[in-house]
């Protein structure tokens, strides 16, 4: 790298920052100064606090436990930094370069200097500014209290920050190469945000696992024995001396149990923490600090070497990706190769083209309905906002369904199909924003429905069929999971899918009516309504409370079987399955009649819907 070029890039970066402040005006400059001062004050406060903790608080820890406590302290700092760093990453997923390299590709300069300036500029984040001084202060305090061996933490800390920032920079560059395609860009943002939401559900899952339940069970057993002892004393079955003797013995046993349980929990926590730190590279910093405190310098040296190698490799890959991005290698289209039809009189068989989804045939429906259904299904699987909505029931099932993974209480037989049907209702409610506003997501594409000659009932039927594979497919996974965790009777397992289909068909007319009378335009790439009005919003809110009532008839068959078995004592007859086989065709017939009637409503209001959904978002 040419150092003169590097100095020129630094000067250019400084001039750009000054010009930005001047163009922003005095108010913008004042706000920037206030934010900078606040960041400096927080950094100073973190530095002083961490230094005092390392200098005064940690030396009070017994020598035998000092390395372990130090491991936990560094783990807390690392987890806090990574969490805040990930929040900043979500705010700016795609890397924004301070110096755009495409401005220098035609100049005889080394691009490594500009790349290095961009990388260093990416380090100016609140989490790094606030937490880095605190970590340095803790390291310096450890050097004072534990000796020169703790100096190994400083290069280990530098390697840690190099690894985190370099990997992040490489990840952002890779996302920038993928986000050249705008549709793919919105999809990536949706999936990354949902992934972060799932990560935030980890404490909830840990709460469901309840690793402390064993100790709670032991405490409950002790309380039961103590209650029995008190009963014997009250009824005169034992004397006061005998009561005191047994009570003291019970207290000693309970104390020994608690100590053993606490000791086992601490050992498990220590083993788990060390394994996680060994497996995950960010944990090498706490391991190195704890090893240095115990007099073992090998973890710190190996951690410094490993983190430095990972960071250097990530920076190199980020530089190569950046060059490929700015030279157009990601946006250039693939060269099409024409198939050779005949060579030297020999005819070559052309390659078989992949089938087009929109050309497929859907049985038992008209061609217009099939076209709307296949087109709508393709739209649902490609639109980023639709993907975001379709992932919502997945996370709801994960969050609430995890309770069934850890509870030892056996569900009654009647409650198992009811739980599966409840999951189906939850899925439908989570899809309400999508299915209750079907034409709002079409936006200008709704003109195709207005201009086409297809029956409006066929359009509504096609819209409902488009969402059916997604809703019923996810419901099928729930049924299989329920059957594995809490097996249902065979006739219940066969009847539940029919009931889920009935629930979906009962829900669709409500969603169609809501889409016709309360359409709301949706901004492209988001789920936020554009210029929402009060009446449609209130109708959507009211529908949430009315949907369970509309799906109640689907539960009638299960209720009848429960009443016959519990009240009449008749068992062994598959009443639920028989009634489901009779009820489902009746609901299908009623659904088709209602959809044809709603087609007339759509035809009368289609101009109003077109005017609403094509309104340009402000």
């Amino acid at each position: 790298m040419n150092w003169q070029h590097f100095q020129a890039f630094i000067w250019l970066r400084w001039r750009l920052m000054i010009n930005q402040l001047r163009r922003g005006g005095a108010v913008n400059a004042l706000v920037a100064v206030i934010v900078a001062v606040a960041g400096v004050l927080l950094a100073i406060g973190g530095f002083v606090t961490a230094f005092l903790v390392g200098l005064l608080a940690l030396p009070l820890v017994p020598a035998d436990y000092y390395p372990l406590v130090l491991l936990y302290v560094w783990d807390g700092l690392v987890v806090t930094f990574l969490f805040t760093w990930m929040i900043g990453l979500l705010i700016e997923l795609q890397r924004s370069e301070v110096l755009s390299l495409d401005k220098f590709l035609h100049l005889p300069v080394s691009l490594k200097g500009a790349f290095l300036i961009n990388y260093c500029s990416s380090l100016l984040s609140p989490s790094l500014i606030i937490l880095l001084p605190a970590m340095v202060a803790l390291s310096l305090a450890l050097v004072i209290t534990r000796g020169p061996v703790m100096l190994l933490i400083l290069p280990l800390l530098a390697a840690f920050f190099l690894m985190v920032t370099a990997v992040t920079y490489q990840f952002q560059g890779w996302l920038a190469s993928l986000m050249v395609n705008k549709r793919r860009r919105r999809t990536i943002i949706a999936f990354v945000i949902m992934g972060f939401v799932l990560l935030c559900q980890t404490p909830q899952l840990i709460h469901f696992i309840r690793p402390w339940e064993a100790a709670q069970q032991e405490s409950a057993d002790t309380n039961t024995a103590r209650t029995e002892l008190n009963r014997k004393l009250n009824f005169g079955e034992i004397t006061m001396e005998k009561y005191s003797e047994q009570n003291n013995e019970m207290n000693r046993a309970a104390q020994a149990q608690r100590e053993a349980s606490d000791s086992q929990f601490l050992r498990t926590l220590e083993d788990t923490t060390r394994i996680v730190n060994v497996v995950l590279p960010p944990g090498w910093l706490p391991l190195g600090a704890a090893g240095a405190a115990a007099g073992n310098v090998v973890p710190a040296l190996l951690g410094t070497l490993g983190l430095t190698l990972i960071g250097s490799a990530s920076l190199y890959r980020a530089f190569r990706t950046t060059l490929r991005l700015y030279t157009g290698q990601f946006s250039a289209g693939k060269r099409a190769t024409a198939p050779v039809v005949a060579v030297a009189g020999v005819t070559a068989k052309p390659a078989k083209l992949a089938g087009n989804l929109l050309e497929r045939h859907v049985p038992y429906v008209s061609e217009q309905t099939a076209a709307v259904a296949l087109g709508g299904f393709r739209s649902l699987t490609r639109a980023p906002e639709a993907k975001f909505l379709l992932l919502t029931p997945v996370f709801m099932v994960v969050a609430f369904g995890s309770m069934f993974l850890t509870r030892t209480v056996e569900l009654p037989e009647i409650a198992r199909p009811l739980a599966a049907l409840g999951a189906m209702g939850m899925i439908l409610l989570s899809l309400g924003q999508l299915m209750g506003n079907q034409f709002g997501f079409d936006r200008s594409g709704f003109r195709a429905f207005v201009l086409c000659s297809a029956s409006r009932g066929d359009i509504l039927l096609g819209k409902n069929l488009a969402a059916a594979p997604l809703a019923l497919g996810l419901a099928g996974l729930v049924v299989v999971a329920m059957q594995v965790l809490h097996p249902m009777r065979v006739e219940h397992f066969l009847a539940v899918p029919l009931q889920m289909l009935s629930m979906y068909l009962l829900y669709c007319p409500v969603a169609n009516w809501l889409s016709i009378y309360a359409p709301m335009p949706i901004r492209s790439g988001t789920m936020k309504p554009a210029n929402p009005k009060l009446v449609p919003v209130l109708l959507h809110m009211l529908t949430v409370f009315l949907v369970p009532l509309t799906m109640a008839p689907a539960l009638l068959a299960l209720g009848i079987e429960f009443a016959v078995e519990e009240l009449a004592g008749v068992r062994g007859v598959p009443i639920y399955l028989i009634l489901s086989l009779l009820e489902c065709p009746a609901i299908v017939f009623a659904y088709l009649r209602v959809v044809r009637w709603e087609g007339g409503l759509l035809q009368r209001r289609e101009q109003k819907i077109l005017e609403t959904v094509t309104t340009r978002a402000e």
Side-chain angles (χ1 to χ4, degrees), residues 140-276:
L140 295 177
L142 292 176
V143 172
I144 296 174
T145 57
R146 303 293 294 187
V149 69
M150 304 305 292
L151 286 172
L152 293 174
I153 299 180
L154 294 177
L156 180 60
L157 183 61
F160 167 77
F161 281 106
L162 172 65
M163 186 271 297
V164 172
T165 55
V167 170
T168 303
Y169 200 67
Q170 179 190 1
F171 176 72
Q172 287 179 310
W174 175 70
L175 285 183
S177 65
L178 293 180
M179 291 181 181
V180 173
N181 187 318
K182 293 184 178 180
R183 180 183 292 114
R184 187 188 296 166
R185 176 181 182 274
R186 294 193 295 265
T187 301
I188 291 173
I189 292 175
F191 275 97
V192 170
I193 293 176
M194 293 302 291
F196 185 75
V197 173
L198 181 60
L199 181 64
C200 293
Q201 292 295 323
T202 303
Q204 177 91 358
L205 298 178
I206 294 176
H207 174 72
F208 287 141
I209 294 174
R210 294 177 179 268
W212 54 85
E213 271 193 345
Q216 292 179 350
Q217 183 63 36
E218 294 174 358
S219 177
D221 295 340
T222 302
N223 292 334
T224 302
R226 197 181 302 278
T227 302
E228 179 64 19
L229 185 63
N230 292 331
R231 187 193 66 79
K232 290 181 179 180
L233 178 64
N234 294 332
F235 284 92
E237 298 180 9
I238 58 175
T239 63
M240 190 64 183
E241 292 78 9
K242 189 68 173 177
Y243 171 81
S244 300
E245 180 182 349
Q246 292 185 7
N247 188 47
N248 292 334
E249 183 180 352
M250 195 177 300
N251 289 335
R252 289 192 296 269
Q255 181 65 24
Q257 263 186 357
R258 284 194 297 268
E259 292 178 355
S261 177
D262 294 341
S263 177
Q264 179 64 29
F265 175 76
L266 291 177
R267 285 196 300 270
T268 304
L269 178 62
E270 179 182 356
D271 295 340
T272 304
T273 303
R274 292 189 180 276
I275 291 174
V276 171

Side-chain angles (χ1 to χ4, degrees), residues 276-309:
V276 171
N277 284 339
V278 170
V279 173
L280 301 179
W284 297 349
L285 171 60
L287 276 181
N296 184 9
V297 300
V298 175
L301 295 176
L302 292 180
T304 302
L305 178 61
L307 294 175
T308 302
L309 290 177

Side-chain angles (χ1 to χ4, degrees), residues 413-484:
E413 287 187 351
I414 194 64
R416 297 172 189 176
L418 189 62
L421 297 179
M424 179 62 182
M426 182 174 59
I427 292 171
L428 294 177
L429 286 176
S430 62
L431 294 178
Q433 188 176 354
L434 178 65
M435 297 187 62
N437 190 28
Q438 303 173 63
F439 307 122
F441 286 92
D442 290 334
R443 291 180 281 272
S444 297
F446 184 72
R447 290 191 177 93
F449 296 132
V450 176
L451 298 176
C452 72
S453 59
S455 168
R456 298 321 186 231
D458 289 341
I459 293 176
L460 291 176
L461 180 59
K463 283 286 188 179
N464 298 156
L465 290 177
L470 303 170
L472 296 178
L474 185 58
L477 295 178
V478 172
V479 172
V480 173
M482 285 290 301
Q483 186 66 14
V484 172

Side-chain angles (χ1 to χ4, degrees), residues 494-541:
L494 296 176
V496 163
L498 296 174
Q499 291 289 286
M500 288 183 169
L501 177 60
S502 299
M503 293 174 66
Y504 182 76
L505 295 179
L506 290 172
Y507 174 74
C508 284
V510 179
N512 294 338
W513 179 88
L514 194 61
S515 300
I516 294 172
Y517 281 95
M520 292 188 294
I522 303 297
R523 290 188 176 96
S524 179
T526 68
M527 298 180 296
K528 185 178 181 180
N531 306 321
K533 298 181 180 180
L534 180 60
V535 174
V537 172
L538 291 178
L539 287 177
H540 279 265
M541 295 176 61

